[in-house]
């Protein structure tokens, strides 16, 4: 079986598959679309050839048109809807002490699989912590790292350590759950792919009534502290590239805070 199979009964030779292929592997030189064999290795299995074909005439060896969910005509939300979602999102630091259902997180991560990844590597890995005590254990590991760093120049964790000693959790905010994106240390695209996946998850959580907050201190500590890295329990050749605290917000926001104007150099 070749890389792509064409149904000659339904293919209209419109050439969209060739235009959509990011690697330029498909040609219509022979009439019907076919792949240029010597550059087939450049296929990143992005599925654009299958997804763009208006008549479902093209099948990729890893993906048939039947396996690809049809796009509903209403999938493009209005600019107002998208603007409200982006502007209405807030970093949530006060959570209801309500556990999250694993199925809900699985659904969210199922959506986030469709976020872009470098070279379509789809290599983002996740660690999901659904036990509030375990989240607290990670906060404690970060606090221990902060205590060790307190004397170092360039760090000032005094206020956070004081808050911790007063029974607050300024690290993971007593969140009921935590989602960590990780990937292989030697994957050069992993930091960007993981960050994009987390940013997508950040927005995807909103229609479910969930709130999130980026776990920046945990990410910083995971990179700098073998103790925190061990507490995370990731594969030895993996690194944490970011994480989100997640849970049901204790309160809603009534307004959108102002932000600086976009700083742009127009070319
Ligand atoms: C990379 C990154 C790391 C962050 N780390 C933390 C963190 O560790 N703790 C926290 O409370 N907020 C953290 N935040 C949230 C920011 O403080 C927040 O995005 C900013 O104040 C704007 O508020 P908003 O998200 O509600 O618009 C982080 C945000 C980003 C993008």
């Amino acid at each position: 079986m070749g890389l792509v199979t064409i149904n000659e009964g339904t293919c209209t030779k419109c050439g969209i598959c060739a235009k959509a292929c990011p690697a330029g592997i498909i040609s219509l030189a022979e009439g019907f679309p076919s792949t240029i064999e010597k550059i087939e290795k450049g296929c990143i299995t992005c599925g654009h050839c299958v997804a763009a074909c208006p008549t479902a005439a093209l099948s990729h060896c890893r993906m048939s048109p039947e396996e690809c969910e049809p796009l509903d005509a209403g999938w493009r939300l209005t600019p107002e809807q998208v603007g409200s979602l982006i502007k209405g999102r807030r970093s949530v630091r006060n959570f209801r002490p309500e556990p999250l259902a694993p199925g809900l997180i699985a659904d969210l991560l199922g959506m986030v699989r469709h976020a872009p990844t470098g070279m379509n590597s789809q290599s983002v890995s996740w660690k999901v912590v659904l036990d509030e005590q375990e989240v607290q254990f990670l906060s404690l590991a970060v606090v221990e790292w902060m205590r060790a760093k307190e004397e170092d120049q360039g760090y000032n964790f005094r206020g956070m350590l004081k808050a911790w000693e007063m029974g607050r959790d300024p690290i993971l905010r007593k969140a009921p759950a935590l989602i960590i994106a990780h990937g292989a240390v030697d994957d050069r695209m992993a930091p960007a792919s993981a960050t994009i996946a987390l940013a997508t998850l950040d927005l995807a959580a909103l229609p479910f009534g969930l709130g999130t907050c980026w776990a920046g201190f945990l990410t910083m500590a995971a990179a700098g502290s073998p103790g925190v890295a061990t507490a995370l329990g990731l594969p030895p050749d993996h690194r944490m590239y970011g994480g989100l605290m997640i849970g049901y917000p204790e309160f809603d926001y009534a307004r959108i805070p102002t932000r600086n104007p976009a700083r742009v150099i127009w070319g």
Side-chain angles (χ1 to χ4, degrees):
M1 190 187 178
L3 191 64
V4 301
T5 310
I6 307 298
N7 179 336
E8 295 188 359
T10 51
C11 175
T12 63
K13 302 182 190 170
C14 68
I16 289 179
C17 54
K19 285 186 185 156
C21 175
I25 291 169
I26 302 174
S27 152
L28 266 74
E30 315 273 311
F32 284 108
S34 62
T35 53
I36 304 163
E37 212 179 311
K38 61 176 189 289
I39 55 170
E40 273 188 2
K41 276 208 295 283
C43 175
I44 57 171
T45 320
C46 65
H48 283 216
C49 52
V50 182
C53 177
T55 58
L58 186 149
S59 192
H60 185 279
C61 64
R62 303 269 305 274
M63 202 182 304
S64 70
E66 294 72 35
E67 286 171 299
C68 298
E69 208 181 318
L71 249 179
D72 158 32
W75 77 273
R76 270 186 214 274
L77 302 176
T78 65
E80 290 74 23
Q81 287 171 322
V82 176
S84 297
L85 193 76
I86 293 171
K87 293 190 280 183
R89 180 212 57 82
R90 292 275 68 75
S91 290
V92 169
R93 302 184 178 92
N94 299 272
F95 297 98
R96 300 206 302 262
E98 211 173 296
L100 298 193
L104 175 53
I105 304 294
D107 286 349
L108 276 170
L109 297 182
M111 283 187 198
V112 172
R113 287 184 303 130
H114 294 268
T117 54
M119 302 285 285
N120 192 35
S121 66
Q122 303 176 57
S123 60
V124 181
S125 302
W126 301 98
K127 165 146 186 161
V128 179
V129 183
L130 292 175
D131 175 0
E132 197 186 326
Q133 296 303 314
E134 213 177 305
V135 177
Q136 284 288 290
F137 171 74
L138 288 171
S139 290
L140 177 61
V142 176
V143 163
E144 277 163 5
W145 171 74
M146 286 180 164
R147 282 190 183 124
K149 286 277 164 204
E150 213 186 351
E151 302 306 316
D152 283 22
Q153 290 221 323
Y155 290 98
N156 186 357
F157 296 134
R158 219 162 296 141
M160 298 191 80
L161 290 171
K162 203 161 171 201
W164 178 264
E165 273 138 35
M166 287 165 72
R168 297 205 293 271
D169 176 7
I171 316 296
L172 297 174
R173 309 277 176 181
K174 300 198 173 170
L178 178 70
I179 304 182
I180 288 164
H182 58 100
V185 177
D186 62 1
D187 177 352
R188 275 180 294 164
M189 301 280 196
S193 298
T195 306
I196 291 166
L198 284 164
T200 305
L201 175 61
D202 200 8
L203 292 175
L206 295 173
F208 293 89
L210 292 164
T212 59
C213 184
W214 288 74
F217 288 106
L218 175 66
T219 310
M220 203 195 303
S225 153
V228 174
T230 306
L232 284 172
L234 304 181
D237 59 336
H238 272 216
R239 181 174 296 167
M240 169 177 180
Y241 290 116
L244 291 172
M245 308 159 217
I246 187 162
Y248 293 101
E250 196 183 299
F251 53 84
D252 287 330
Y253 286 82
R255 275 165 289 281
I256 297 164
T258 64
R259 291 289 183 256
N260 295 334
R263 271 185 301 275
V264 187
I265 298 170
W266 298 100

